[in-house]
Amino acid sequence: MQLEAITWERLTDALAERLVAMPSKDRSPWLRVAVDGAPAAAPDELAGRLAEALRVRGRAVHKAGAFGFLRPASLRLEYGREDPDAFHDEWFDRQALWREVFQPLDPGGTGRVLPDLWDPVADRATRSGYVELPPGGVLLLHGPLLLGHWFPFDLSVHLKLSPAALARRTPEAERWTLPAFARYEAETRPEEAADIVVRADDPRRPAWSGAS
């Protein structure tokens, strides 16, 4: 895959322009977008930039993080606090994402989505209220390990880090997750699964696969 250098500003504008112009794949009145990447790649930051660019263009946006949909500690940590396979397979409540985020945005859905579900610090439900995303709005779901679960994304962006960059930029206390990301690369192959790939080894000099 050939990647070309770009700035974050130009990348954000290009993504926003593409989203403003594109229809959903299933005729839903909402667009559903993944910004996929390990925490070290800062997918939340790109999602934030993109949310602002879309709002400037008159589109309503709901930005949600996968870490708001963790499973309870009794399930998440069943095999210990630092099990990379459990992080890959069990940490995120993907059924809740389907139920509370994607199904309301199906064709004929209500548009009422839940911003988050679980507070991992307090280990209890957040009790957040539903948010109504009007027709024409855009869901931006950001976080790790988002691809390969049949989520109905209309556009998916994968922030790629080399193994060396991922290890270098992952805090020491979180490096036990590195085998989970290696497994994700081997099994899900996010570079092939995503519509757009952004290499972010140097956070000052991203490169991307283009908008085509």
Side-chain angles (χ1 to χ4, degrees):
M1 177 183 295
Q2 289 188 338
L3 301 177
E4 62 183 50
I6 194 169
T7 65
W8 288 113
E9 291 77 12
R10 286 175 50 219
L11 171 64
T12 301
D13 285 341
L15 292 174
E17 290 296 329
R18 175 167 176 172
L19 289 169
V20 166
M22 70 182 290
S24 65
K25 293 178 179 178
D26 58 4
R27 299 186 179 180
S28 167
W30 301 278
L31 289 176
R32 296 138 300 189
V33 179
V35 183
D36 174 67
D44 55 328
E45 294 183 11
L46 178 56
R49 293 189 187 100
L50 185 54
E52 181 59 29
L54 287 167
R55 291 185 181 114
V56 167
R57 288 165 173 79
R59 302 296 290 269
V61 178
H62 176 65
K63 178 173 168 279
F67 279 102
F69 289 84
L70 293 177
R71 302 176 78 201
S74 60
L75 301 173
R76 197 171 71 245
L77 307 179
E78 181 179 0
Y79 300 102
R81 293 183 175 274
E82 297 185 357
D83 186 294
D85 286 326
F87 179 75
H88 183 282
D89 296 335
E90 305 292 342
W91 271 48
F92 298 95
D93 193 339
R94 297 181 178 104
Q95 290 184 348
L97 279 168
W98 272 106
R99 182 181 68 250
E100 304 291 356
V101 177
F102 289 104
Q103 287 183 0
L105 303 182
D106 283 342
T110 64
R112 295 179 70 247
V113 297
L114 195 64
D116 49 49
L117 180 66
W118 201 258
D119 181 343
V121 177
D123 196 34
R124 65 184 181 190
T126 58
R127 296 189 174 90
S128 295
Y130 285 89
V131 174
E132 186 163 348
L133 186 62
V138 181
L139 166 71
L140 296 177
L141 181 64
H142 60 87
L145 312 174
L146 294 181
L147 306 180
H149 305 291
W150 300 101
F151 290 144
F153 292 121
D154 298 295
L155 185 72
S156 54
V157 181
H158 173 64
L159 295 177
K160 174 181 173 57
L161 293 177
S162 68
L166 177 61
R168 182 174 66 251
R169 292 169 57 183
T170 298
E172 182 68 34
E174 299 173 12
R175 288 187 180 176
W176 61 271
T177 63
L178 295 178
F181 291 112
R183 181 181 162 194
Y184 183 59
E185 289 286 336
E187 295 181 5
T188 302
R189 304 180 70 86
E191 282 185 78
E192 299 175 11
D195 297 303
I196 293 172
V197 176
V198 179
R199 187 180 65 212
D201 283 4
D202 184 342
R204 301 164 300 177
R205 299 180 178 87
W208 75 323
S209 57
S212 60

